[in-house]
Amino acid sequence: EYGALTKVTGTVPLRRVQAVKIVRTPGHLVSGRAAVRVETAGGAVQGAGVSEREWVAPIIHIDRVPVVVRELLPDVALNEVDWKPADDRAGTRRMRLAVYFALVMGAISAYWLEWYWAAAATTVLCVWGVVGARQYVRSLGWARTDEAIYFRSGWLWKSVTVVPISKVQCVAVQESPIDRRWQMASVAVDTAGAGAHAVDVPYLPRAVAEQLRMAVATQAAATTYRW
């Protein structure tokens, strides 16, 4: 339930939960809090973003998150997850892209700014891009158990997504031209819920991505879908 003036109370049967997502904005990080929401099939109005009723706990102490997730998904132990990192080369790849972007933007700004201002802007963009790329890759993590697949990302805006294997509708390996150049791939997992991929794990070695796809697909095919 929520609302100070207009109060709304919603109920979602646990068996309808397609995924659980934990979000931590900078405000949550500073205050030691988090937000927990659930995704259901058709839970949000298309084009309207996340429905308010999907926020199970918009503000909750970080220590309480594993308990709430366990109540939503009884087979999931969030504090016992063995997280696996992205490809070791992912940081180099993102840092190169950040530097290229900074150089291009610096060259464009030189048409309107004095050379020293353009150089300063390019330096700031390079430093910020490199730091951001390194922190982003460090924040990436994924895990798979017999019960669920997990994905985390973000360093200023952190998120953790948990999808029960029994709710998986489709799992696919995706490769962009740049992925193929680096021999990497991403794994996308979809549920019956509306919107983008429930889980989209980037920067995996090609062999690891294929192994993960086969493992999740095999597990999902062996389970009885619980609508």
Side-chain angles (χ1 to χ4, degrees):
E1 63 178 18
Y2 69 94
L5 298 178
T6 301
K7 292 187 176 293
V8 177
T9 300
T11 302
V12 178
L14 292 181
R15 65 181 182 276
R16 299 285 196 257
V17 175
Q18 302 288 311
V20 173
K21 189 168 187 177
I22 301 101
V23 178
R24 302 192 70 193
T25 66
H28 286 112
L29 293 173
V30 171
S31 60
R33 300 297 192 270
V36 180
R37 70 179 177 89
V38 298
E39 295 180 358
T40 60
V45 179
Q46 188 171 359
V50 177
S51 171
E52 289 287 349
R53 70 188 181 201
E54 294 179 330
W55 291 104
V56 175
I59 303 175
I60 185 174
H61 196 278
I62 188 62
D63 292 339
R64 287 282 301 164
V65 170
V67 177
V68 172
V69 172
R70 194 66 177 262
E71 292 177 355
L72 297 171
L73 301 174
D75 295 330
V76 169
L78 195 61
N79 51 1
E80 298 177 7
V81 175
D82 181 19
W83 293 103
K84 295 178 176 56
D87 191 295
D88 294 337
R89 301 164 297 159
T92 300
R93 174 178 164 178
R94 283 190 68 97
M95 284 189 286
R96 285 186 183 180
L97 183 61
V99 171
Y100 295 154
F101 175 79
L103 294 176
V104 170
M105 295 303 295
I108 294 174
S109 66
Y111 285 100
W112 293 277
L113 303 175
E114 297 290 344
W115 69 267
Y116 45 86
W117 286 114
T122 302
T123 301
V124 171
L125 286 175
C126 279
V127 172
W128 176 253
V130 169
V131 171
R134 181 178 298 175
Q135 292 299 111
Y136 174 76
V137 172
R138 285 180 177 177
S139 71
L140 290 176
W142 65 274
R144 179 186 63 84
T145 65
D146 292 338
E147 293 77 27
I149 181 169
Y150 308 76
F151 174 61
R152 70 180 183 188
S153 65
W155 60 289
L156 290 178
W157 280 265
K158 295 178 177 291
S159 68
V160 176
T161 303
V162 184
V163 175
I165 295 296
S166 62
K167 302 298 184 181
V168 172
Q169 295 286 306
C170 177
V171 56
V173 171
Q174 300 177 337
E175 296 175 87
S176 68
I178 299 178
D179 284 330
R180 287 193 291 273
R181 168 67 178 81
W182 287 81
Q183 296 183 344
M184 295 182 188
S186 63
V187 175
V189 178
D190 291 329
T191 66
H197 306 303
V199 169
D200 197 349
V201 187
Y203 305 126
L204 295 179
R206 183 63 177 79
V208 173
E210 184 59 31
Q211 290 172 2
L212 178 59
R213 183 191 71 82
M214 288 296 298
V216 174
T218 301
Q219 285 181 279
T223 62
T224 300
Y225 181 72
R226 299 194 301 268
W227 180 251

